[in-house]
Amino acid sequence: MSTPGRDLPSGGAGTGIRLHAPAPGWSVDADVVVVGSGVAGLTAALRCAAAGHRTVVVTKARLDDGSTRWAQGGIAAALGEGDTPEQHLDDTLVAGAGLCDEAAVRLLVTEGPDAVRRLMATGAVFDTSAETGEIELTREGGHHRRRIAHAGGDATGAEISRALVEAVQAAGIRTVENALVLDLLQDARGRTAGVTLHVMGEGQHDGVGAVHAPAVILATGGMGQVFSATTNPSVSTGDGVALALRAGAEVSDLEFVQFHPTVLFLGPDAEGQQPLVSEAVRGEGAYLVDADGVRFMTGQHELAELAPRDIVAKGIMRRMQEQGAQHMYLDARHFGAEMWEQRFPTILAACRAHGIDPVTEPIPVAPAAHYASGGVRTDLHGRTTVPGLYACGEVACTGVHGANRLASNSLLEGLVFAERIADDIAAQARSGNGPGIPVPATGPLQPAGARYEIQRIMTDGAGVLRSAESLRTAAEALEGLYATALNELEAHGKTAEPGVDTWEATNLLCVARVLVAAAQRRVETRGCHWREDHPDRDDAAWRRHLVVRLSATEKRALVVVPTDSADFPSVHVPLSTQSLEQ
């Protein structure tokens, strides 16, 4: 069996696959380009700029419109009296169902508390006790202690985003907003040389351009839009994972998509971003009931409604199947109006906007796609298998989350690994890389309408419940979409018109194919990967990772390689000393 990371394609082009796009009409030079403006991207940008690097932030929407601002629950860290990093580590390892990289988790929980304090020094204000002045800590699913810091009750992400955006603006860091990243630029030795991107709308730059830089940090967020119903914003189309795959990088654990158990149910045909009902609501004592008012999580796990998310999502889905129901209910009427208004004002407003008053009635909820535990494979410094390309936040697979992310570890992971990436870049003594080599586009673009077809296919075949048959059907349908577009390109030289909609649809198809291929290969149930036809966890055969890359030689082929053990495979590509050939 080949070793992940050891059989990468050689040369400067990675896979040789690029999106069809006009040639760059403008360019910017930098030392570091950060793609994304959530907690991971902006933290990395601030730290890189502070080290004296010319830093450019590229973001798909506005600077303050990243996924971070949607985070309701909070950020987990061992900040409370009696809590320790070791206890946080234990809870994380349990939630990760045997696939966490313990070294990465230990790093997260030990460096996390000070990273949160530095975030506070940057300007983030967390809720504090009126009596003691100390940070108020709450509890969420999978945590045995109250260790979740929050802001504005249920607006933690918005507060963190506000503080970081203001700090970036105060530091005068150059930003390019409303810009969709397209592809990685690489030099003749395969090292990172920047990115191409398309700016949507008027401004200093417009249309396709390039940022030339020897270090690129992907912080593009998730890929929740690959499913019909998700808690992710519309911009979460897997762009970073798709770019990395085209550049020759490896991805891992993409089959582990966390479905948040309690998303406001808006009807069976609801599509797009759905309102999240934070885990913190259950942390404060809300409980799950069916239409008859029966609590069904009691007895299923020692933590009942506060079990890890995969267990709660499965409990909800089982009860829905048993009763032929489309949703369950979250009952928090006992909170009273005052608690709802002070602790959960955002959720209260969202529910009332859809005709539900949590003060007087249970909230209808059902699972929806929420978070990708896998992504672009990195080491403990955020380095990928492509020299000079880093990844942090949801786009990355650091090994922290394993088969299921522990609640509120995501903001902390983005924060800690962004700092480590910036420190690694600062420690590198490097001369400038060579210029990026233009690579002709070889893959077809999907028509804009394919986005909705991909979402339907993935929701039906690779959602919360999976089986060999559902995954086979999904794989065939996805390959059909690709084959149709490829035949048009090869037979008639035609592809969809380059543009934001077609680039996004193409990226979604790319990550969907990888997800389904990995889910087909993993014939067990583990964490948030639930195979109805293989309902048990199989440590003997499957306590290992699946590493996926695009083939450089075979069109549309995915190379899926299992690791030899549960150990997270190393990434051996220091920024300035090695090429892709190892």
Side-chain angles (χ1 to χ4, degrees), residues 77 168 402 434 497 552 564:
V168 164
E497 187 69 24
D564 295 310

Side-chain angles (χ1 to χ4, degrees), residues 176-388:
V176 182
E177 296 181 303
N178 301 309
L180 170 63
V181 67
L182 299 176
D183 279 303
L184 191 73
L185 292 170
Q186 293 170 268
D187 67 13
R189 297 186 64 190
R191 304 170 192 264
T192 293
V195 293
T196 56
L197 63 157
H198 173 78
V199 178
M200 301 167 274
E202 297 179 0
Q204 184 178 0
H205 302 293
D206 194 12
V208 175
V211 180
H212 300 287
V216 171
I217 303 173
L218 293 178
T220 51
M223 51 184 220
Q225 289 292 323
V226 79
F227 295 98
S228 298
T230 176
T231 64
N232 289 212
S234 61
V235 294
S236 297
T237 52
D239 308 318
V241 172
L243 174 149
L245 282 164
R246 289 192 294 269
E250 295 176 350
V251 303
S252 191
D253 297 351
L254 218 63
E255 67 269 34
F256 298 115
V257 176
Q258 186 176 81
F259 284 75
H260 198 288
T262 53
V263 175
L264 183 62
F265 181 74
L266 300 181
D269 299 322
E271 296 181 343
Q273 187 177 10
Q274 314 286 300
L276 176 66
V277 182
S278 170
E279 192 135 0
V281 178
R282 280 175 282 137
E284 295 291 355
Y287 43 83
L288 288 161
V289 297
D290 60 21
D292 297 321
V294 176
R295 288 183 66 180
F296 54 86
M297 285 304 299
T298 304
Q300 292 200 32
H301 189 275
E302 60 168 334
L303 296 176
E305 283 89 357
L306 284 177
R309 288 177 177 174
D310 64 310
I311 294 172
V312 179
K314 290 170 186 174
I316 292 173
M317 292 299 297
R318 286 193 187 102
R319 196 66 159 194
M320 287 166 56
Q321 287 180 318
E322 291 169 2
Q323 299 187 343
Q326 296 179 327
H327 62 83
M328 290 288 110
Y329 293 93
L330 185 65
D331 195 345
R333 289 174 290 180
H334 52 286
F335 285 5
E338 183 177 358
M339 181 174 175
W340 267 110
E341 291 164 1
Q342 293 182 1
R343 181 66 179 87
F344 301 111
T346 306
I347 298 170
L348 178 64
C351 289
R352 284 177 170 171
H354 290 282
I356 304 294
D357 189 350
V359 176
T360 60
E361 58 188 317
I363 306 167
V365 294
H370 183 55
Y371 190 90
S373 294
V376 185
R377 193 167 72 79
T378 75
D379 66 5
L380 298 183
H381 299 281
R383 296 177 292 205
T384 74
T385 49
V386 175

Side-chain angles (χ1 to χ4, degrees), residues 121-166:
T122 303
V125 179
F126 293 100
D127 294 343
T128 57
S129 168
E131 291 78 24
T132 66
E134 298 294 321
I135 295 177
E136 284 189 328
L137 298 173
T138 59
R139 190 176 164 202
E140 294 183 5
H143 294 271
H144 282 79
R145 283 192 174 270
R146 298 175 77 88
R147 65 167 64 98
I148 316 300
H150 55 86
D154 58 0
T156 312
E159 169 58 19
I160 291 174
S161 180
R162 178 205 62 78
L164 291 174
V165 167
E166 289 183 5

Side-chain angles (χ1 to χ4, degrees), residues 25-48:
W26 54 271
S27 65
V28 173
D29 291 327
D31 298 318
V32 181
V33 55
V34 179
V35 188
S37 61
V39 63
L42 295 187
T43 298
L46 284 166
R47 208 166 175 97
C48 286

